[in-house]
Amino acid sequence: MKKWIIKISFVAVIVVLGVLLFFFGRQHEIIIEYGDIKINETEYSIGEELYIVKIDSEKIEIQNKTSKFSRSTSTLKTSKIVGPNHSIEVYKNDSPGETIRKDNFSVEINNNAKINLVSFINGFDDWYSQKKIVYDE
Amino acid sequence: MSMSNSEKVKKFLINNTVPILFVVLLFFAIPLSGFSPEYLANEMITRLGRNSFLVLALLIPVMAGMGMNFGIVLGAMAGEIGLIFITDWGVVGINGVFLAMIISTPIAIILGFVAGLILNAAKGREMVTGFMLGFFMNGVYQLFVLYGMGNIIPINNPKILLPRGYGIRNAIDLVNIRQAFDSFIKLKIGDISIPVFSFIIIAILCIFIVWFRKTKLGQDMRAVGQDNDIAAASGIAVKRTRILSIVISTVLACYGQIIFLQNIGTMNTYNSHEQVGTFAVAAILIGGASVAKANISNVFIGVVLFHMTFIVSPRAGKELVGQAQIGEHFRVFVSYAVIAISLALYAWRRQAAKNREIKAVLDEQNEAIENRGGSQ
């Protein structure tokens, strides 16, 4: 009996470990949207400056397509994050010590994350949303 | 009776024919290849980290007298199934590697158990049976992966599915876990990078094997390996012990294949496991092991000598006859030749020992007859 209890406990621990590894090791896509937005008839934009979006320890450079220095015409940037809990910090490239905004977010196991940068840096609450993982061909 | 020095040297040479042959071969091939010592050291360290675990998986069945377990191919298949799942689920890094190990462990246990049952039924012919079992299971694996995955078992990631909607693609990019173990703790000395974490895992396995030999089960396995009948007479469950040795070997091979593939970074779904058994067996035999006796040092000597041959032979072949392909053929030839030579040497030694025993018995009998004749 004692042997069986030990065996079953061992299997249960392994199963729990497997679930935790899945939960904390799953990769999610994060989409950063930085196109202009309109809220209450007011238009918001990130302007022409180069922003650094720091998600956990990864730094992503963001610059509006209207900027003459921009090399991209898209208003979306994607990156990968691993696990459920993350932090986001945004600052301008020329002033790295001055954080514009810092916050935390979490991603559910079957979702990808979407961040609206304009909304985030202007202090709105609806800067973050999630979408179910869909595989593209 | 103490042996003279010449007898000792002779015995040493006979016992280490294969490693000595390879040392001599490398003595000529390394200068011919023109590789720098730094490059060779780097390659050797990488390959030691990549292959040692798989080769270590062969030790326990040898202890139980089951010879070289060509059935480690089954464990390799289990490991690959784990890797397919974590790639589909998008679990990355070291978490992905450990999760693949957890997923594939029950599969490896079941396959090992089935293999053990079959090998028990084919007592005395374990190696050839294990070899054929690998081929048979390859068919089952292909059926499972080619028709079962995506059809019966849900696979969502189109990057690993065949365009028809079921079956796994021929090659899977393991970019999510590439070198997850190797780069987890990495040490760089000059141009040489050392995958410390992989070596820690290998060291843990070595300690486990040393400890395991001293356990009750380990002692039982050694007793079974020496003589099945005597072991059975002393109350050891011979069949169970033999099955357990194969199960442990298969599970270790499964982990070994995962470690191997995370280092390579690409999985050839239908071929990666095919030659795992042959190459691992060839490596341990080159290290001086025999079908009946193998230890940890044989593994490391074997991996170094075997893979050094792998590295230098294409270039040496090119320098010697102008074609690198010769070297490539040479290394495949070497793998099979070493297995054949080692098996032949083992059979020859066993026959010689048997002859010596018979001769000793006959001499004793003759002596007894002569003594009796003298006293009458």
Side-chain angles (χ1 to χ4, degrees):
Chain A
M1 187 65 184
K2 196 184 162 191
K3 264 188 178 177
W4 275 105
I5 291 169
I6 293 168
K7 279 178 188 171
I8 291 165
S9 311
F10 180 72
V11 171
V13 167
I14 296 291
V15 170
V16 170
L17 182 69
V19 172
L20 288 176
L21 287 170
F22 178 69
F23 195 66
F24 288 101
R26 189 144 203 219
Q27 193 175 50
H28 307 269
E29 194 171 67
I30 183 160
I31 302 162
I32 301 166
E33 200 177 16
Y34 54 96
D36 299 351
I37 57 166
K38 210 175 193 180
I39 297 171
N40 298 332
E41 299 301 312
T42 315
E43 204 163 283
Y44 296 91
S45 155
I46 59 164
E48 292 195 354
E49 280 170 284
L50 176 64
Y51 285 85
I52 306 294
V53 178
K54 195 174 159 194
I55 294 172
D56 300 328
S57 57
E58 195 194 344
K59 289 176 184 171
I60 305 156
E61 289 183 355
I62 303 264
Q63 192 160 38
N64 208 325
K65 64 174 181 177
T66 54
S67 166
K68 59 183 174 184
F69 304 111
S70 173
R71 277 171 284 176
S72 167
T73 54
S74 167
T75 55
L76 292 175
K77 261 204 175 170
T78 57
S79 183
K80 305 273 187 191
I81 48 174
V82 180
N85 300 316
H86 305 277
S87 67
I88 175 169
E89 185 186 349
V90 178
Y91 56 86
K92 286 179 186 171
N93 188 42
D94 50 8
S95 51
E98 296 168 31
T99 303
I100 298 171
R101 192 176 169 188
K102 198 177 176 181
D103 215 324
N104 297 314
F105 64 96
S106 55
V107 196
E108 282 172 27
I109 196 73
N110 284 323
N111 289 348
N112 282 331
K114 195 173 180 184
I115 286 166
N116 190 306
L117 186 65
V118 182
S119 188
F120 183 75
I121 57 174
N122 284 291
F124 295 113
D125 291 331
D126 60 344
W127 57 274
Y128 178 66
S129 59
Q130 292 186 56
K131 209 178 165 189
K132 204 169 165 30
I133 294 173
V134 179
Y135 291 101
D136 303 320
E137 279 292 343
Chain B
M1 199 169 68
S2 63
M3 272 193 290
S4 68
N5 278 346
S6 65
E7 274 177 331
K8 274 182 191 167
V9 171
K10 196 180 162 192
K11 199 182 174 199
F12 176 81
L13 288 175
I14 289 173
N15 285 340
N16 297 287
T17 317
V18 182
I20 291 166
L21 209 71
F22 270 81
V23 170
V24 173
L25 187 79
L26 286 171
F27 184 78
F28 293 106
I30 290 174
L32 263 176
S33 71
F35 286 125
S36 69
E38 288 84 15
Y39 174 80
L40 288 176
N42 217 351
E43 279 291 313
M44 261 350 291
I45 287 167
T46 308
R47 283 162 189 258
L48 267 170
R50 187 195 291 165
N51 295 286
S52 300
F53 203 100
L54 258 172
V55 185
L56 282 165
L58 293 170
L59 288 179
I60 287 174
V62 174
M63 209 185 346
M66 299 180 81
M68 295 297 159
N69 180 21
F70 283 97
I72 60 167
V73 176
L74 274 62
M77 286 177 206
E80 285 170 16
I81 289 171
L83 288 174
I84 291 171
F85 280 120
I86 60 130
T87 309
D88 178 42
W89 298 338
V91 185
V92 303
I94 202 151
N95 292 20
V97 178
F98 280 122
L99 185 60
M101 287 177 173
I102 290 176
I103 295 164
S104 49
T105 302
I107 305 169
I109 291 173
I110 294 167
L111 290 177
F113 181 75
V114 173
L117 285 177
I118 295 169
L119 295 183
N120 266 345
K123 215 176 262 182
R125 293 176 299 278
E126 285 92 351
M127 283 196 290
V128 71
T129 311
F131 202 69
M132 297 319 292
L133 202 58
F135 286 125
F136 164 69
M137 268 306 168
N138 190 29
V140 177
Y141 168 85
Q142 290 198 5
L143 184 75
F144 179 74
V145 174
L146 205 51
Y147 293 100
M149 286 192 162
N151 249 341
I152 304 161
I153 299 150
I155 298 286
N156 298 315
N157 190 347
K159 280 182 185 164
I160 63 167
L161 268 183
L162 286 168
R164 66 182 182 193
Y166 62 92
I168 303 297
R169 284 178 196 260
N170 196 31
I172 297 178
D173 190 3
L174 299 175
V175 67
N176 291 340
I177 58 152
R178 180 173 293 153
Q179 305 204 334
F181 264 20
D182 302 336
S183 52
F184 188 61
I185 309 172
K186 207 169 192 172
L187 191 70
K188 214 163 162 75
I189 303 168
D191 290 337
I192 302 163
S193 52
I194 303 163
V196 179
F197 191 68
S198 300
F199 282 119
I200 290 173
I201 299 277
I202 291 163
I204 290 170
L205 179 59
C206 292
I207 294 165
F208 167 78
I209 290 169
V210 172
W211 167 80
F212 182 77
R213 278 186 177 155
K214 293 171 186 165
T215 61
K216 164 85 172 66
L217 184 60
Q219 297 287 348
D220 286 356
M221 278 184 194
R222 286 165 77 169
V224 169
Q226 272 161 16
D227 198 306
N228 280 347
D229 298 329
I230 294 171
S234 58
I236 296 168
V238 174
K239 284 189 175 175
R240 181 179 169 274
T241 311
R242 284 162 57 93
I243 290 172
L244 277 174
S245 80
I246 294 296
V247 169
I248 295 169
S249 174
T250 311
V251 171
L252 291 178
C254 153
Y255 299 158
Q257 180 73 350
I258 291 171
I259 293 171
F260 177 84
L261 289 174
Q262 64 82 36
N263 178 277
I264 299 278
T266 315
M267 187 174 102
N268 207 331
T269 315
Y270 303 99
N271 306 104
S272 279
H273 51 267
E274 270 183 359
Q275 288 193 313
V276 160
T278 318
F279 285 169
V281 169
I284 200 168
L285 290 175
I286 288 171
S290 75
V291 175
K293 202 177 156 203
N295 56 42
I296 293 169
S297 62
N298 296 140
V299 171
F300 293 106
I301 294 170
V303 171
V304 168
L305 291 177
F306 188 54
H307 284 278
M308 192 64 91
T309 319
F310 265 31
I311 299 162
V312 298
S313 62
R315 183 73 84 87
K318 196 181 170 211
E319 295 298 322
L320 212 60
V321 285
Q323 276 187 322
Q325 201 62 32
I326 296 280
E328 287 288 327
H329 289 307
F330 175 72
R331 69 185 194 182
V332 176
F333 155 78
V334 158
S335 315
Y336 291 109
V338 161
I339 294 172
I341 289 170
S342 299
L343 293 180
L345 277 174
Y346 174 71
W348 171 65
R349 271 186 225 140
R350 215 165 61 161
Q351 193 58 48
K354 225 181 235 176
N355 290 345
R356 271 199 303 273
E357 262 174 44
I358 294 168
K359 197 171 174 277
V361 171
L362 286 175
D363 286 347
E364 240 172 64
Q365 282 175 351
N366 287 340
E367 216 171 289
I369 291 166
E370 273 172 26
N371 286 344
R372 223 180 293 158
S375 62
Q376 280 169 0

